[in-house]
Amino acid sequence: MPNLPDAKKRVKQNARNRASNRARKSELKAETRGFEKILATGDKAAATKAFSTLSKHLDQVSAKGSLHKNTAARRKSRLAKRLNAAAGK
């Protein structure tokens, strides 16, 4: 348990930041599952729209620092690859 005031404050900040990071990542996972579900149906227009919003959301979460920018870029790349493969069918 921290004794110094700044250490006590840091514990509170870490708890708050952890909660918001977990919430953002959870939203991303839910949105990704939704995109994959749309992709499985074969609706290309809806999948493209879902990818666009998911891509934007990934950028926003990485800008907040909850996700590293390279991780966001890698996820977007992999999702775009899957979208293009589905569109090619």
Side-chain angles (χ1 to χ4, degrees):
M1 200 63 208
N3 292 322
L4 298 176
D6 58 331
K8 291 178 183 177
K9 180 179 177 181
R10 184 46 88 177
V11 167
K12 289 178 191 174
Q13 287 176 333
N14 287 342
R16 186 176 61 239
N17 290 340
R18 181 171 183 261
S20 63
N21 286 341
R22 284 172 59 108
R24 286 187 192 114
K25 287 182 182 183
S26 178
E27 287 175 7
L28 270 181
K29 287 177 188 175
E31 202 168 337
T32 303
R33 281 192 298 270
F35 169 73
E36 289 172 350
K37 193 178 283 187
I38 291 171
L39 201 59
T41 63
D43 187 359
K44 294 180 180 91
T48 305
K49 189 173 186 324
F51 173 74
S52 176
T53 58
L54 178 56
S55 177
K56 181 180 176 185
H57 201 183
L58 277 164
D59 288 336
Q60 288 173 338
V61 170
S62 69
K64 294 284 185 186
S66 298
L67 202 65
H68 194 275
K69 66 176 186 161
N70 290 351
T71 304
R74 184 178 65 245
R75 288 188 188 178
K76 283 175 20 182
S77 175
R78 289 177 180 169
L79 293 169
K81 198 181 207 180
R82 291 182 62 187
L83 178 65
N84 290 336
K89 286 183 181 177

